[in-house]
Amino acid sequence: MPVIPHHVAIVMDGNGRWATKRFLPRVAGHKKGVDALRACVRHCGERGVKVLTVFAFSSENWNRPAEEVSGLMELLALALAREVPALHGEGVRIQFVGNRSALAPKVRAGLAQAEAATAANVRLQLNICFNYGGRWDIAQAAAQLAASGTPITEQSLHGAMAMAHVPDPDLVIRTGGEQRISNFLLWQVAYSELYFSDKLWPDFDAAALDAAIADYASRERRFGKVSGQVAPSPAKKVA
């Protein structure tokens, strides 16, 4: 039986390039990317993944063309209306992670409504990082602790992070052929296994997910130790 990561995080890269290759506007690629995310949530649930975290909109994405940013915001509103009821029916709990202060009041209200509607679900935790950056997360955590007079330690900083409600990712997947973190979960990926796929996000299907999980299962996770110090790795199948 394959070893399944408890928490999978994904940088969903390649939507724009997928559209450009087909002579379509970039927003069309983002729409196709929503379809791919819907399928990925289902595939993760079927395979026993308990936490899925996806990078939907980074704090740097505001620098993209205004038309694309506007299209992404409209797509978010449409996706909330269309996808949340279905995800709720599948037992998925949705939480949005990121800086909401820059978002329009209507968008903030939509995020809060989606979270409230799915709060009791336990089959799969879906974290959608929207207007998120790893450096922002570390800075806001430090600011919280400083404001409250709490000493800043690794433990207290970890507890103040926007992702403190879930364990750190076991497996981080990036699609689209690029091999970098791009300011995603900088604190949390300290010991995550990294997997890079050449597939553009709209083409990342069940077989691609299975390939990533199989690669993860073949690795030995030592967390700074040597092989002789660790029990048979939870990320490696033993005959």
Side-chain angles (χ1 to χ4, degrees), residues 2 4 14 35 43 65 69 80 88 90 93 102 119 121-122 134 151 160 184 209 215 227:
I4 303 297
D35 296 337
H43 299 325
V69 172
L80 287 171
H88 177 51
E90 295 172 12
R93 181 179 184 181
N121 295 337
V122 296
F184 183 48
L209 176 65
D215 186 81
S227 294

Side-chain angles (χ1 to χ4, degrees), residues 19-213:
T20 300
K21 286 174 62 176
R22 291 160 176 78
F23 304 100
L24 297 170
R26 289 176 60 87
V27 171
H30 294 303
K31 290 179 179 177
K32 193 68 175 178
V34 172
D35 296 337
L37 175 57
R38 183 194 314 120
C40 187
V41 171
R42 183 175 69 251
H43 299 325
C44 284
E46 291 170 350
R47 284 151 182 77
V49 173
K50 296 302 181 185
V51 182
L52 174 63
T53 300
V54 297
F55 206 5
F57 188 87
S58 77
S59 50
E60 290 77 29
N61 286 157
W62 292 106
N63 297 318
R64 292 188 174 188
E67 182 181 355
E68 182 174 351
V69 172
S70 176
L72 284 168
M73 293 301 162
E74 292 178 10
L75 182 58
L76 173 63
L78 289 172
L80 287 171
R82 186 181 69 176
E83 305 295 342
V84 170
L87 292 171
H88 177 51
E90 295 172 12
V92 176
R93 181 179 184 181
I94 304 170
Q95 287 184 255
F96 291 89
V97 180
N99 184 1
R100 302 190 190 188
S101 63
L103 304 178
K106 185 177 180 180
V107 173
R108 294 201 299 269
L111 304 188
Q113 289 169 8
E115 291 176 332
T118 62
N121 295 337
V122 296
R123 182 168 182 250
L124 175 71
Q125 170 78 42
L126 174 61
N127 301 308
I128 301 175
C129 292
F130 197 87
N131 196 26
Y132 172 89
R135 290 179 175 179
W136 163 85
D137 195 4
I138 296 169
Q140 68 82 29
Q144 279 189 55
L145 297 177
S148 66
T150 304
I152 297 178
T153 64
E154 282 195 27
Q155 185 176 8
S156 65
L157 197 60
H158 186 85
M161 291 285 175
M163 290 284 292
H165 60 287
V166 292
D168 291 343
D170 301 293
L171 171 64
V172 176
I173 300 169
R174 181 178 182 133
T175 63
E178 305 288 357
Q179 298 188 13
R180 57 179 179 268
I181 297 298
S182 293
N183 200 20
F184 183 48
L185 304 179
L186 295 181
W187 177 273
Q188 295 84 0
V189 302
Y191 279 101
S192 302
E193 298 296 321
L194 306 180
Y195 179 88
F196 300 100
S197 171
D198 288 332
K199 285 185 176 291
L200 302 177
W201 174 246
D203 296 326
F204 192 82
D205 54 12
L209 176 65
D210 286 338
I213 290 175

